[in-house]
């Protein structure tokens, strides 16, 4: 899973180099790569081997066009959420993001950016719910894009209490465990470098674990996929 994850990060860096559309490609390809991690988890669940070659399984799937359509719909939802947030904060969030990308050290924090983040999250939340299960639904259940988005949205809506606990738990884990691990190393060895390396390593491990956690959120609702509906490895 670690090799699969790092191969995914590397490919994202490569596709970003494509002229004009490079920055958008990682977002378009999210559903395509999502099925790779879902299939890897399914392999683990069935005591089967996992290799970085699974990263290409979405590209070999008959549902590739549907996965790419989901990616384009995701970009549309993000653009819409960003536009709604700009109406609330006057573009403060957009300016903040641009300053982060351009490493602008002269940028002065705008309190309205926090409002923009909150509005953006609330505006994108319905889209997030619709996209959560959509990739495995179009591949494993062979649903159309509209049906996949529909069933994903209402599946998440019906289990909203569980997803709130799930989200809060992961936010807490991603924030607290790397910080505690890094501080512990610093107390033992007194090295800021080892502290930083430990925090980054633990954060990467937790990110891989979080990707693995997407699989049971699907199987608990829709069940495990049939072998005949899985894309060829």
């Amino acid at each position: 899973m670690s090799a699969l994850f790092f191969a995914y990060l590397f490919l994202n860096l490569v596709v970003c180099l494509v002229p004009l559309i490079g920055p958008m490609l990682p977002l378009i390809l999210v559903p395509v790569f999502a099925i790779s991690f879902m299939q890897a988890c399914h392999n683990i669940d069935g005591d089967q081997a996992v290799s970085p070659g699974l990263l290409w399984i979405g590209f070999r799937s008959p549902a590739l066009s549907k996965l790419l359509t989901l990616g384009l719909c995701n970009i549309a939802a993000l653009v819409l959420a960003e536009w709604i947030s700009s109406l609330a904060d006057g573009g403060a969030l957009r300016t903040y993001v641009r300053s982060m990308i351009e490493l602008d050290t002269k940028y002065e924090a705008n309190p309205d950016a926090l409002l923009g983040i909150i509005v953006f999250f609330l505006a994108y939340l319905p889209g997030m719910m619709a996209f959560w299960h959509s990739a495995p639904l179009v591949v494993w259940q062979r649903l159309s894009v509209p049906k996949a988005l529909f069933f994903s949205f209402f599946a998440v809506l019906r289990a909203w209490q569980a997803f709130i606990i799930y989200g809060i738990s992961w936010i807490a884990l991603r924030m607290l465990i790397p910080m505690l691990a890094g501080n512990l190393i610093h107390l033992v060895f007194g090295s800021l470098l080892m502290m930083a390396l430990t925090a980054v390593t633990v954060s990467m491990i937790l990110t891989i674990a979080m990707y693995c956690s997407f699989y049971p959120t699907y199987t608990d609702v829709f069940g495990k996929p049939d072998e005949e509906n899985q894309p060829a490895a």
Side-chain angles (χ1 to χ4, degrees):
M1 290 299 297
S2 299
L4 188 67
F5 178 74
F6 284 111
Y8 167 63
L9 292 183
F10 176 75
L11 280 177
N12 271 336
L13 292 175
V14 171
V15 299
C16 282
L17 300 177
V18 177
L20 299 178
I21 63 171
M24 291 190 298
L25 282 178
L27 292 174
I28 297 174
L29 295 176
V30 163
V32 180
F33 290 129
I35 203 64
S36 302
F37 288 95
M38 296 291 282
Q39 185 64 47
C41 292
H42 180 64
N43 285 12
I44 295 171
D45 198 20
D47 294 326
Q48 300 177 30
V50 173
S51 69
L54 286 174
L55 201 62
W56 307 108
I57 201 168
F59 293 97
R60 301 190 187 109
S61 170
L64 175 60
S65 61
K66 296 179 182 179
L67 293 172
L68 294 174
T69 301
L70 287 173
L72 292 173
C73 291
N74 186 36
I75 288 181
L78 287 168
V79 171
L80 178 61
E82 194 277 333
W83 177 73
I84 294 174
S85 73
S86 68
L87 296 179
D89 67 359
L93 176 60
R94 185 184 307 163
T95 303
Y96 171 73
V97 172
R98 187 182 300 115
S99 68
M100 293 291 290
I101 295 174
E102 297 175 356
L103 301 177
D104 184 3
T105 57
K106 298 180 180 180
Y107 172 78
E108 295 183 2
N110 188 338
D112 289 338
L114 178 58
L115 173 63
I117 293 173
I118 296 173
V119 174
F120 175 85
F121 174 77
L122 293 176
Y124 181 62
L125 185 59
M128 189 185 305
M129 296 166 63
F131 293 116
W132 191 264
H133 299 302
S134 58
L137 283 175
V138 299
V139 174
W140 289 341
Q141 302 289 346
R142 300 180 181 177
L143 297 184
S144 65
V145 170
K147 285 185 176 180
L149 295 172
F150 175 86
F151 283 112
S152 175
F153 177 85
F154 283 101
V156 175
L157 183 62
R158 291 183 63 182
W160 65 270
Q161 300 99 325
F163 274 98
I164 287 177
I165 296 173
Y166 173 85
I168 292 175
S169 299
W170 271 116
I171 290 173
L173 288 170
R174 293 292 305 278
M175 291 177 62
L176 293 177
I177 293 184
M179 181 181 65
L180 292 174
N183 287 334
L184 179 61
I185 292 297
H186 183 254
L187 288 174
V188 174
F189 298 100
S191 172
L192 291 176
L193 177 60
M194 291 185 65
M195 172 184 172
L197 289 175
T198 300
V200 170
T201 302
V202 172
S203 180
M204 295 294 287
I205 293 172
L206 287 173
T207 300
I208 296 169
M210 184 178 69
Y211 273 62
C212 293
S213 73
F214 299 156
Y215 176 74
T217 69
Y218 171 85
T219 57
D220 281 355
V221 178
F222 298 100
K224 296 181 181 180
D226 297 329
E227 295 297 326
E228 62 180 16
N229 288 339
Q230 296 179 52

